[in-house]
Amino acid sequence: MKVGEYCDEFSALISRMLDEDLDQSEQIRLWMHLDHCEGCRAYYEAQCAIRSAIQSLPPVEVPADFTAGVMKRIAEDAPAASRTEAADTKPQSAKNKKTPWRYRILPLAACCALLLLSVQRVGLSSPRSTASETVEYSTADLETEESAGAENSMLFAYAENSDAVNALPLLMLSAAALPFFTDGEEAAVDSAEDGSYYTLDSAQCEALLLWLTEQGLDEDAAALQEALPLAEDTLTLWVWAS
Amino acid sequence: MTELDWILAAQQGDRDSFACLVQSYEQRVYQLALRMCGNSEDAQDAAQEAFLSAWRGLPGFRREASFSTWLFRLTSNACIDLLRRQKKNASALSLEESGEDLTSPTLRYQPETALEQQLLREGIVNGLQQLPPECRQVLVLRELEQLSYGEIARLLALEEGTVKSRIHRGRKLLRKYLIDNGNFFAPSASKNSESNRRGGAIR
């Protein structure tokens, strides 16, 4: 072995030893090796010194106005109605969901409906041929007081496995698409009791596509058509309006 | 009020309660962000972004993980996003490009004087910034937050094996940086004393 070298295999064991991840036989094997390998012994000593130094780093000083800065950003966060499920969480029960939703939406007159749209693409089943009848926009199936102003909203959809807070939306639909979920026969898509999220299988996605086309919502239809191939077998889209 | 009270109230839109959570966690979140981003301006941006994400995501937070674990994940992701945007990882260390260690094994690794300890700490702060973000992320969570392999794996949605190998790689790279930048010390009589203090990051 050249001067300064260590054994890759044992350096990995040293790393795991520092993290107390070795079983007894691995520990014995490592100690026997360290007994005669100067390079690995030096590596071990260096890693111990590094750990000790990292853990003795002085605590950092948080800027004095940090909390105020965070709260200012929250106050300025225009689409605050987009407070919604984090990407790694599952839909809450309707019972638990209504109150927080009401609380966070009411102060924000410009913001309205919170929707969670789940799209499960389980292969390509045959398209459902029936389109819903045209229905007038209604927020009755949502919590009415929160959904005032939905006409000016956009629906933002995020893939389940992305970070809904930081990621770019996979799909944006205009609020004119909302009636598909709230009214008419196509509202048969699975939804929470309080109407805050909707689940569509692949056939229902296609029904939505057809409905958007029939409504003359060509841009929305094109956006959906573009997004669907990106879906994996199961895809959850998080949708909210702001 | 307990932390749980703050969380429940903040989930319902109570900003004062959320401010309490921010104050309670700002030190750990900011420290994590600073160690990952390397400068206070970026750290403040990333830490604020993490708290903003927490505020937005709180209604969906189910407490399946602890609030702190969830918050560290948001912080870690905010830092990674920021670093990617800035493409800072272009200057990250690479074992493949720079070759293996050629230094003497007679180096002294335990700093003996206050100055040596200070130099080593400075070297570590600088060296962390030279690591690839994915290595820095897991190493900081392991060493500063002292999370286990399993906790880090769950937090970052990685396999435990990936966490182990990234930590191992991060440690190797950090040691190499410290040696190459003279943050470990040769015995005073050693002829390597000066040559091991040549400074400068490996490219």
Side-chain angles (χ1 to χ4, degrees):
Chain A
M1 179 183 291
K2 291 179 187 174
V3 168
E5 284 188 347
Y6 53 84
C7 311
D8 251 350
E9 177 193 355
F10 287 97
S11 70
L13 286 182
I14 287 169
S15 181
R16 287 177 50 214
M17 182 173 70
L18 289 170
D19 298 328
E20 300 176 357
D21 188 52
L22 296 187
D23 62 32
Q24 196 173 25
S25 66
E26 288 172 320
Q27 282 184 44
I28 291 169
R29 191 163 145 253
L30 175 59
W31 285 118
M32 288 178 68
H33 178 77
L34 290 177
D35 203 35
H36 64 77
C37 180
E38 192 178 0
C40 284
R41 211 161 49 239
Y43 182 88
Y44 170 69
E45 288 169 10
Q47 291 300 348
C48 288
I50 289 171
R51 157 163 287 186
S52 172
I54 288 181
Q55 294 182 350
S56 69
L57 287 174
V60 300
E61 194 171 327
V62 182
D65 56 352
F66 182 81
T67 297
V70 171
M71 299 316 293
K72 184 166 178 276
R73 281 192 66 180
I74 285 173
E76 291 170 352
D77 186 31
S82 64
R83 286 191 73 199
T84 187
E85 322 294 337
D88 57 345
T89 56
K90 298 289 183 288
Q92 209 172 0
S93 73
K95 183 181 175 185
N96 292 334
K97 198 167 192 170
K98 282 191 173 182
T99 304
W101 191 28
R102 183 175 292 114
Y103 264 89
R104 66 176 179 270
I105 300 294
L106 275 177
L108 303 161
C111 304
C112 64
L114 169 66
L115 302 176
L116 166 63
L117 165 62
S118 295
V119 181
Q120 293 175 322
R121 289 177 59 80
V122 190
L124 284 176
S125 58
S126 59
R128 224 158 82 177
S129 57
T130 55
S132 69
E133 56 184 326
T134 304
V135 291
E136 287 186 6
Y137 175 78
S138 164
T139 59
D141 292 341
L142 295 172
E143 292 176 320
T144 308
E145 70 276 22
E146 288 101 351
S147 30
E151 296 86 344
N152 297 319
S153 302
M154 294 287 288
L155 309 182
F156 296 88
Y158 292 79
E160 183 182 36
N161 59 357
S162 68
D163 183 341
V165 175
N166 294 320
L168 292 172
L170 181 67
L171 170 65
M172 284 188 286
L173 298 177
S174 69
L178 202 55
F180 177 86
F181 306 104
T182 56
D183 306 306
E185 291 178 8
E186 294 303 337
V189 294
D190 300 330
S191 65
E193 285 177 23
D194 64 356
S196 59
Y197 74 93
Y198 302 85
T199 305
L200 288 79
D201 61 20
S202 58
Q204 288 164 329
C205 285
E206 288 158 11
L208 171 60
L209 187 59
L210 186 59
W211 184 86
L212 291 171
T213 307
E214 287 187 353
Q215 299 296 309
L217 302 172
D218 295 338
E219 287 185 11
D220 288 336
L224 178 62
Q225 200 153 26
E226 196 174 331
L228 287 182
L230 302 175
E232 297 173 357
D233 284 349
T234 300
L235 173 69
T236 301
L237 298 179
W238 304 75
V239 179
W240 63 83
S242 63
Chain B
M1 288 178 78
T2 65
E3 178 180 297
L4 181 58
D5 293 329
W6 288 336
I7 291 169
L8 293 173
Q11 281 185 311
Q12 299 191 1
D14 183 340
R15 291 185 186 182
D16 291 340
S17 293
F18 188 73
C20 292
L21 287 170
V22 176
Q23 281 181 325
S24 176
Y25 280 97
E26 63 177 11
Q27 170 70 34
R28 292 176 74 185
V29 165
Y30 181 75
Q31 174 164 287
L32 181 60
L34 184 63
R35 297 302 177 218
M36 289 192 69
C37 295
N39 67 74
S40 56
E41 191 180 341
D42 287 350
Q44 195 163 348
D45 275 356
Q48 282 195 353
E49 196 61 42
F51 279 116
L52 192 59
S53 298
W55 168 254
R56 289 169 171 165
L58 255 181
F61 175 59
R62 301 283 173 276
R63 304 199 300 280
E64 288 160 355
S66 71
F67 179 75
S68 61
T69 300
W70 181 65
L71 189 57
F72 293 155
R73 176 182 183 177
L74 295 175
T75 307
S76 184
N77 286 343
C79 293
I80 293 284
D81 285 350
L82 187 141
L83 292 168
R84 281 185 179 146
R85 281 201 302 276
Q86 297 179 341
K87 297 182 179 174
K88 280 188 174 175
N89 49 350
S91 63
L93 277 174
S94 165
L95 278 180
E96 290 73 22
E97 288 173 10
S98 53
E100 259 302 346
D101 305 297
L102 297 172
T103 48
S104 164
T106 59
L107 287 177
R108 203 154 42 76
Y109 295 106
Q110 295 297 342
E112 290 177 354
T113 67
L115 177 61
E116 287 180 353
Q117 288 170 0
Q118 178 60 26
L119 284 173
L120 180 55
R121 283 196 290 265
E122 285 177 10
I124 282 172
V125 168
N126 294 332
L128 281 172
Q129 300 318 307
Q130 299 300 315
L131 298 182
E134 65 272 16
C135 291
R136 185 188 322 146
Q137 183 183 40
V138 293
L139 195 56
V140 165
L141 290 170
R142 175 72 198 111
E143 298 292 20
L144 284 181
E145 295 304 330
Q146 299 185 12
L147 301 185
S148 69
Y149 290 152
E151 287 171 323
I152 297 171
R154 284 191 293 279
L155 192 138
L156 301 176
L158 295 171
E159 296 291 331
E160 266 195 44
T162 305
V163 173
K164 285 181 199 180
S165 64
R166 286 184 183 178
I167 287 175
H168 172 44
R169 181 172 157 76
R171 283 174 170 152
K172 282 168 70 174
L173 289 168
L174 188 54
R175 168 186 172 273
K176 180 173 174 50
Y177 175 89
L178 293 169
I179 288 175
D180 288 352
N181 286 278
N183 296 111
F184 284 134
F185 312 97
S188 55
S190 168
K191 62 184 179 182
N192 296 314
S193 178
E194 289 307 313
S195 63
N196 283 329
R197 292 172 186 268
R198 57 184 179 275
I202 297 171
R203 294 288 184 268

